[in-house]
Amino acid sequence: SQARLDDVRIKTDFYDVAMDRMRQSFPAFEGLEKIQKIEGPFQIVIDQAIVGKEGVLVLSGKGHWSEGNLNIAEMPVPIKKIDVQLEMSESDIIFKKMSAQIDVGRVELQGRVDDYPSNLKLTGDLQLKGIPIQPFVQKQEVKVEGLVNGKFDFKGKELTTQPILNAFQASGM
């Protein structure tokens, strides 16, 4: 048996989300203890999802996080003005556009996560534009000034073996 969802829209504001409860409820969030604060409206549109005893069989959807803010425990400055546009399927997440402000600089990313229910193969392009070095080396005895700019291609695989989507199951008539 299976459960099917069509044309589902979910809207929330991360400001209302308690990270401690998210980590308890969803194993995929367990490694995110360093997130101290997360804000901004988030919307998911699920065009179609089919879930069975085997997990998520079909998934087609989009997500958008806008006007986001994120504080991470060991990061000296908050990440602001986060804008993420993504598309998702039962096996892949495509980051169509992802941008954020770090201090006075910008970070832009386009990429994808393939095979995310099991192996998390990550590929993409990352651009850093005018990010000040000084906040990240404040505790050093040497005074450092300047801006970081760069373009990086990245790849990674098997970042975790924790199956995310297969943890969901459904049964019905």
Side-chain angles (χ1 to χ4, degrees):
S1 56
Q2 300 174 341
R4 178 179 168 141
L5 300 170
D6 291 299
D7 302 319
V8 175
R9 293 183 182 346
I10 302 168
K11 289 184 181 182
T12 189
D13 191 317
F14 279 130
Y15 182 78
D16 298 329
V17 175
M19 287 304 295
D20 290 339
R21 292 183 73 197
M22 288 292 285
R23 285 189 283 274
Q24 291 172 356
S25 302
F26 299 101
F29 287 89
E30 281 180 14
L32 303 179
E33 295 88 14
K34 296 186 187 285
I35 294 178
Q36 296 175 325
K37 180 173 147 184
I38 186 169
E39 297 177 329
F42 183 69
Q43 177 177 334
I44 293 179
V45 176
I46 299 172
D47 299 318
Q48 183 180 65
I50 299 175
V51 182
K53 290 181 181 178
E54 306 83 15
V56 176
L57 305 172
V58 174
L59 177 62
S60 174
K62 299 175 193 75
H64 187 207
W65 180 20
S66 59
E67 303 170 24
N69 294 304
L70 183 63
N71 288 10
I72 300 173
E74 295 173 4
M75 190 149 169
V77 294
I79 302 171
K80 297 180 178 181
K81 298 183 181 177
I82 299 169
D83 185 53
V84 179
Q85 295 178 19
L86 59 89
E87 294 178 357
M88 59 196 141
S89 72
E90 62 277 359
S91 62
D92 305 321
I93 300 173
I94 299 169
F95 292 94
K96 306 287 278 178
K97 174 187 169 193
M98 187 169 161
S99 62
Q101 179 179 328
I102 297 178
D103 202 305
V104 296
R106 301 267 320 142
V107 174
E108 295 178 0
L109 177 126
Q110 288 183 320
R112 62 185 299 130
V113 179
D114 295 318
D115 197 19
Y116 69 86
S118 56
N119 290 320
L120 290 177
K121 296 175 188 164
L122 188 64
T123 58
D125 298 315
L126 174 69
Q127 288 188 346
L128 305 176
K129 298 178 178 180
I131 298 176
I133 295 172
Q134 197 273 333
F136 295 93
V137 292
Q138 287 178 352
K139 296 177 184 174
Q140 305 301 322
E141 293 182 24
V142 177
K143 183 173 175 143
V144 179
E145 292 184 12
L147 302 174
V148 175
N149 294 286
K151 182 175 180 181
F152 307 91
D153 296 325
F154 60 89
K155 278 187 179 179
K157 66 178 187 173
E158 297 180 16
L159 302 174
T160 181
T161 55
Q162 171 66 39
I164 297 168
L165 288 181
N166 291 339
F168 294 100
Q169 294 186 348
S171 60
M173 297 174 54

